[in-house]
Amino acid sequence: MKTERCEIDALIDNRKVYLYAAEALEAGKLVAIPTETVYGLGADALNAAAVARVFEVKERPSFDPLILHIHQAKELERYAVVEPVFEGMINTITKLFWPGPLTLVLPKTDLVPDIVTSGLDTVAVRVSAHSAMRGVCKALGRAIAAPSANKFGRISPTSATAVEKELGGQIDLILDAGACSEGIESTIVRPVLDEKGRPALELLREGPITREQFRKIAKIVKPKYQSPEAIQAEQDKPLAPGQMKSHYAPQKRLQIVEPEAVFVPTAGVRYGLLTFEGTSPLAAQDCWSSVVSLSPGSGRLAEAGVRLFAMMRQMDESTEFDEIVAEAIPTHGLGAAIMDRLRRASV
Ligand code: TXA
Ligand code: MG
């Protein structure tokens, strides 16, 4: 199959491209669509056969559910049930963070095919802030089911070129809008009742909307953890399979060095260092074949987030070294999501 690539130019009206992509989705085809977080592999959410192809192409286990992307918050209740007890909290969250990198997990309506939710009675929904994802949702007139456009367990793509390398030849169309502005997948939360029966939130995946931001709105309670082994054994339904310990994995071995720690290289192995700013004592050690900075010079977490997956891909492809060493970064704000991805990549 030839994978077509269409450019999206932020300075012009792209409605024709969005319509073209929507027609492809309508015909059951798969289209990679940029969002502000990472590129998604989109299918018409109400076409179970098309959604099945998403699982096939991604080699994704059938127990790992997809996120629905909708054009605007008003459409939420077509796909999800807003229970009265959570209505106030959900309104606050959607007003503050939609469109944006935030996914809500709520009970699903009957409209949503079981294959989208892997048989769960809940569905994950978000309104992306990217005009392309929203534009195609609008043109299609219904939700688009879209996981990140990478093979299961691998590094998420933050550019059209990265999608092409992962899935080229296996999907019909890629919309190319350049680099993603966030670079890290959306934060996932689920409204629950705390032990006193009051509305609270489970933080199922760390992301660009931070724990600190949610704390101002609601109490955050620990998700009920299910080990990946239990999930595999039962072929059961994970709370958020992004919780699986190993994820976002490069092919090279990746290990993390904690702050202040000294790295002891093994003789004969060539190492590349993934550092935050490049100014740390670790970066000054003389054992690196290559040093890559997430935020060269400026030390900004947002810049590190945008560059994380692209730098991991670049390091994975480099022939200059055999293994990746990642320096732990500060875990406040967005740093928590970045460290979450690095830790899973290191298992
Ligand atoms: O930023 C993002 O969220 C990107 C872009 C494309 O929107 N999408 C993305 O999708 O990261 P994916 O499939 O790579 O990750 C979706 C995560 C998975 O960890 C999945 O288990 C979880 O969402 N999820 C989906 N439905 C769920 C549900 N009903 N309950 C709990 N977790 C769910
Ligand atoms: Mg993913």
Side-chain angles (χ1 to χ4, degrees):
M1 173 192 293
K2 192 176 167 336
T3 301
E4 191 184 350
R5 194 155 151 175
C6 279
E7 265 188 43
I8 289 172
D9 178 344
L11 300 179
I12 58 168
D13 183 346
N14 293 288
R15 255 176 300 182
K16 276 196 185 136
V17 182
Y18 301 157
L19 271 174
Y20 182 64
E23 276 164 19
L25 292 169
E26 180 99 52
K29 296 180 178 176
L30 303 190
V31 182
I33 307 170
T35 81
E36 74 279 40
T37 58
V38 301
Y39 276 66
L41 176 60
D44 173 352
L46 302 188
N47 178 341
V51 174
R53 276 211 60 225
V54 170
F55 282 91
E56 193 187 323
V57 166
K58 270 190 65 103
E59 295 163 27
R60 181 173 177 120
S62 58
F63 58 74
D64 194 0
L66 309 184
I67 295 178
L68 290 191
H69 297 70
I70 56 174
H71 167 55
Q72 51 187 352
K74 265 193 250 167
E75 288 161 22
L76 176 63
E77 289 183 70
R78 275 186 82 188
Y79 305 98
V81 180
V82 175
E83 294 161 279
V85 63
F86 297 126
E87 203 177 334
M89 188 169 76
I90 291 170
N91 277 340
T92 306
I93 291 174
T94 55
K95 283 217 173 74
L96 276 174
F97 302 126
W98 275 0
L102 186 267
T103 297
L104 271 173
V105 170
L106 299 171
K108 79 178 205 57
T109 63
D110 291 340
L111 185 63
V112 181
D114 284 335
I115 188 164
V116 170
T117 63
S118 302
L120 291 176
D121 50 16
T122 55
V123 62
V125 186
R126 89 175 181 101
V127 180
S128 165
H130 201 295
S131 49
M133 180 54 98
R134 292 187 68 207
V136 182
C137 285
K138 187 176 179 194
L140 181 65
R142 52 187 178 268
I144 294 175
S148 52
N150 52 281
K151 294 278 182 190
F152 180 70
R154 299 255 305 128
I155 305 166
S156 297
T158 50
S159 69
T161 304
V163 176
E164 194 150 16
K165 278 188 187 158
E166 282 284 304
L167 304 176
Q170 292 185 275
I171 61 176
D172 300 279
L173 176 63
I174 301 175
L175 300 188
D176 178 358
C180 300
S181 61
E182 297 282 352
I184 302 267
E185 303 88 346
S186 61
T187 308
I188 305 181
V189 293
R190 173 160 79 168
V192 290
L193 294 175
D194 70 7
E195 72 285 354
K196 291 190 176 138
R198 289 173 308 204
L201 285 175
E202 280 182 349
L203 183 55
L204 299 181
R205 180 171 72 182
E206 307 256 13
I209 311 287
T210 62
R211 186 179 285 268
E212 290 88 334
Q213 284 171 285
F214 280 115
R215 277 216 192 96
K216 293 181 194 152
I217 299 165
K219 183 171 154 190
I220 298 184
V221 294
K222 257 200 159 156
K224 291 176 211 96
Y225 181 71
Q226 263 182 302
S227 75
E229 293 75 17
I231 291 162
Q232 299 278 4
E234 296 169 31
Q235 284 284 293
D236 201 9
K237 301 145 183 180
L239 282 172
Q243 286 180 325
M244 284 179 215
K245 263 173 90 185
S246 173
H247 217 90
Y248 314 105
Q251 261 136 19
K252 285 192 178 124
R253 177 167 180 239
L254 183 149
Q255 55 187 306
I256 294 174
V257 177
E258 301 301 332
E260 318 288 316
V262 174
F263 176 68
V264 183
T266 303
V269 180
R270 299 170 307 159
Y271 296 97
L273 177 70
L274 182 61
T275 162
F276 184 37
E277 283 181 274
T279 53
S280 62
L282 186 67
Q285 280 189 226
D286 61 6
C287 55
W288 313 119
S289 301
S290 168
V291 175
V292 173
S293 295
L294 283 176
S295 179
S298 75
R300 281 181 53 237
L301 285 168
E303 184 185 15
V306 168
R307 287 166 52 82
L308 176 69
F309 290 139
M311 293 306 104
M312 278 170 63
R313 272 179 189 278
Q314 180 187 307
M315 293 184 85
D316 209 17
E317 285 166 12
S318 170
T319 52
E320 285 170 42
F321 51 90
D322 315 305
E323 295 190 9
I324 303 170
V325 173
E327 185 174 22
I329 69 158
T331 54
H332 59 81
L334 183 62
I338 296 175
M339 275 314 292
D340 169 73
R341 305 306 190 267
L342 282 175
R343 290 209 192 282
R344 290 181 210 280
S346 74
V347 175

